[in-house]
Amino acid sequence: MEIPFAEAWKIKMVEPIHKSTLEQRLKWLEEANYNVFQLKSDQVYIDCLTDSGTGAMSDRQWAAIMTGDESYAGARSFFELKDTVTEITGFEYVIPTHQGRAAENVLFSHLVKAGDIVPGNSHFDTTKGHIESRKAFAVDCTVDIAKDTQLEAPFKGNVDIDKLDKVLAENADKVPFIIITITNNTAGGQPVSMQNLRDVRKVADKYNKRVIFDSARFAENAYFIKVREEGYKDKTIREICREMFSYADAMTMSAKKDGLVNMGGFIATRWEDIYEGAKNFVIPFEGYLTYGGMNGRDMAALAVGLRENTEFDMLETRIKQIEFLASLLDEYGVPYQRPVGGHAVFVDASKVLTKVPKEEFPAQTLTVELYKGAGIRGCEIGYILADRDPVTRENRFGGLDFVRLAIPRRTYTDNHMKVIAAALKNVYDRRDSITRGVEIVWEAPLMRHFTVKLKPLS
Ligand code: F0G
């Protein structure tokens, strides 16, 4: 008999979680204004809100916490982090920040000005926020196939090179850099191929522009290159990472994802001028250069986390769990962005709640139903998150309307995946009886999804 696949770790510490009753959940939802961000975590049974900062650290990482050096300047833990980043990426200059958006804030303060155009592949919402708040524009050049959720293609996170070239041909003087998000979170955790990264580099060189990677899930991207792209199956994850980053000039990093830590981030670059420019902002915004928003102990744990998560076995364990969840959804017929991505299943709500009009936010409605059903917290990555157009103030209904079920790293077991899938199946089976969605009763002008107040329609 073939030996089955199993996790590349064993469990040393557990955290109890609790189920709730439907009656309790209905009350909690009402108190939370039907916005799952407003729930208390104790009201959630299985939390798939995000894979960001929610993973389990290893015994080695906890051991590193104890050896952290809290010196204000020149901390040993900083150099452990810096050396690890340099080894994985080839970037010599490293600036810690307290998380990914802080890295964006520091770097974009140096690089982005009003009127600029920043092309990329489905900029993450904080990335877009940091561009738009500087009165610049984020132009999405993702390949069109990313919108066809039922199409199986290996690299749906890619940049459409013709679209990118066109943006540069028309606006070269306004483009400070190109930003590539690996993996492409917004399009469903979809990877970007090495060939595509190489092609982006060529376009950048043609117009003499720099390329920045938003690298939150770079290791998962490397895993997909290894298993899906020709010529990479015999390369190590580290070798693939070195090649990926060889096509970039700098990176922003949310270490809360592929860094396997609960908080942290950094900027890294090969260029002294970028480093010098960012330095001017990290000190007032985040902290001195060798800690920039992070504790020494957290930098030490991050250095270990980056090493662990650039090992094939660790990534294989993770991605196979997501694939297991997706295989259950296949069995039940629930439509999601195919093939499943690296950190989450993105359920295509517009194909599930077909009777709920888009003006009543189908993905948010499905998020609420899923929580009601079994206390599972997903996250709307759809029309509410898309915010309003900054000029017309109209809702942006042009994109996809997903419920993202993000899976924290090394946290839940396959049994939890079965519960998530069953809960989703139950909603799916009664989908035709769900005809009304939700309406917004209050919203913030920017990034409304965190605090929006909603009311169910009936
Ligand atoms: N870039 C990407 C691709 C992200 O997914 C995130 C965060 C960030 C940047 C910002 O990093 O949270 O450390 O400030 N994504 C989380 C998510 C919040 O749930 O997808 P951060």
Side-chain angles (χ1 to χ4, degrees), residues 25 28-44 46-50 363-373 375-381 384 402-405 438 448-454:
R25 291 193 293 275
W28 292 334
L29 264 176
E30 196 182 336
E31 287 166 4
N33 293 295
Y34 299 88
N35 178 351
V36 294
F37 278 97
Q38 303 298 319
L39 290 169
K40 296 185 177 123
S41 63
D42 287 347
Q43 299 167 340
V44 174
I46 302 175
D47 205 346
C48 301
L49 185 69
T50 179
Q364 182 61 29
T365 308
L366 184 55
T367 305
V368 168
E369 290 300 324
L370 190 61
Y371 175 74
K372 255 192 227 168
I376 289 155
R377 176 157 68 170
C379 176
E380 194 251 25
I381 305 266
I384 293 186
F402 287 127
V403 177
R404 184 183 75 172
L405 297 165
V438 292
R448 64 183 179 181
H449 66 290
F450 293 119
T451 52
V452 68
K453 292 185 180 170
L454 302 156

Side-chain angles (χ1 to χ4, degrees), residues 64 81 124 187 214 235 260 280 304 360:
L81 173 61
F124 183 65
D214 173 350
K235 295 218 189 290
L260 297 180
N280 296 328
V304 177
E360 297 180 12

Side-chain angles (χ1 to χ4, degrees), residues 56 154 166 185 215 255 262 280 285 314 334 374-376 438 442 452:
K166 189 160 179 283
N185 180 2
S215 318
N262 304 113
N280 296 328
F285 288 174
M314 199 58 75
V334 180
I376 289 155
V438 292
W442 181 86
V452 68

Side-chain angles (χ1 to χ4, degrees), residues 50 99-101 104 124 181 185 214 217 254 257 404:
T50 179
Q99 62 184 90
R101 65 200 68 185
E104 292 164 358
F124 183 65
T181 304
N185 180 2
D214 173 350
R217 299 176 183 86
S254 168
K257 286 88 168 172
R404 184 183 75 172

Side-chain angles (χ1 to χ4, degrees), residues 228-429:
R228 291 186 185 169
E229 193 162 353
E230 200 165 333
Y232 289 93
K233 84 173 176 353
D234 297 326
K235 295 218 189 290
T236 65
I237 295 293
R238 297 269 176 83
E239 284 167 339
I240 294 171
C241 289
R242 275 304 272 258
E243 185 180 342
M244 282 179 350
F245 286 107
S246 76
Y247 303 123
D249 296 289
M251 68 191 284
T252 53
M253 178 71 188
S254 168
K256 303 169 72 170
K257 286 88 168 172
D258 275 352
L260 297 180
V261 290
N262 304 113
M263 190 56 72
F266 57 86
I267 298 164
T269 179
R270 65 178 82 259
W271 298 109
E272 194 178 355
D273 65 295
I274 294 183
Y275 176 66
E276 288 299 325
K279 256 166 79 173
N280 296 328
F281 295 97
V282 73
I283 294 176
F285 288 174
E286 292 287 298
Y288 181 66
L289 299 174
T290 57
Y291 73 87
M294 289 184 78
N295 296 308
R297 54 182 170 271
D298 290 342
M299 291 190 283
L302 172 55
V304 177
L306 286 168
R307 285 181 198 278
E308 283 179 358
N309 210 29
T310 44
E311 293 292 342
F312 179 75
D313 289 357
M314 199 58 75
L315 291 161
E316 185 185 37
T317 298
R318 165 155 185 74
I319 310 262
K320 283 215 186 271
Q321 185 173 53
I322 316 266
E323 287 172 353
F324 173 64
L325 174 57
S327 72
L328 296 175
L329 300 189
D330 286 342
E331 203 178 300
Y332 305 148
V334 180
Y336 59 87
Q337 171 70 299
R338 310 184 70 88
V340 72
H343 67 294
V345 172
F346 283 62
V347 180
D348 188 346
S350 62
K351 289 196 166 52
V352 177
L353 299 185
T354 51
K355 305 224 159 118
V356 176
K358 64 179 187 311
E359 293 77 11
E360 297 180 12
F361 306 106
Q364 182 61 29
T365 308
L366 184 55
T367 305
V368 168
E369 290 300 324
L370 190 61
Y371 175 74
K372 255 192 227 168
I376 289 155
R377 176 157 68 170
C379 176
E380 194 251 25
I381 305 266
Y383 301 144
I384 293 186
L385 180 120
D387 268 326
R388 290 174 188 274
D389 184 284
V391 180
T392 66
R393 302 305 300 159
E394 292 294 322
N395 279 309
R396 292 196 265 212
F397 289 123
L400 293 162
D401 199 31
F402 287 127
V403 177
R404 184 183 75 172
L405 297 165
I407 308 300
R409 293 164 185 79
R410 309 192 287 204
T411 302
Y412 292 115
T413 68
D414 286 359
N415 282 328
H416 294 113
M417 300 303 116
K418 290 185 198 162
V419 173
I420 298 166
L424 204 47
K425 178 186 191 303
N426 288 344
V427 182
Y428 188 65
D429 287 350

